[in-house]
């Protein structure tokens, strides 16, 4: 788990363990709300891909 966490933090700026801690502290609803805002396309409001930061609604 630590290896995956380190990889995602370095490559995508989002750690799995950090997410688990957030969920434990604030709850799943708060986490999902936070992620929805974090990964929202500024152009159309769609969802950005964590791996490419691309909106597939705008750029299929």
């Amino acid at each position: 788990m630590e290896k995956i966490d380190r990889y995602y933090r370095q490559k995508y700026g989002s750690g799995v363990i950090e997410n688990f801690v957030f969920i434990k502290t604030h709850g799943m609803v708060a986490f999902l709300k936070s992620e929805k805002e974090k990964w929202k396309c500024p152009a159309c409001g769609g969802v950005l891909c964590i791996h490419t930061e691309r909106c597939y609604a705008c750029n299929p």
Side-chain angles (χ1 to χ4, degrees), residues 6 14 24 31 45 49 58:
R6 187 171 37 257
S14 182
K24 185 175 182 180
F31 173 73
C49 174
C58 292

Side-chain angles (χ1 to χ4, degrees), residues 1-11 16-17:
M1 190 58 126
E2 289 175 355
K3 185 176 178 181
I4 293 170
D5 180 70
R6 187 171 37 257
Y7 175 79
Y8 266 77
R9 279 186 289 114
Q10 290 173 350
K11 185 119 174 135
V16 179
I17 295 172

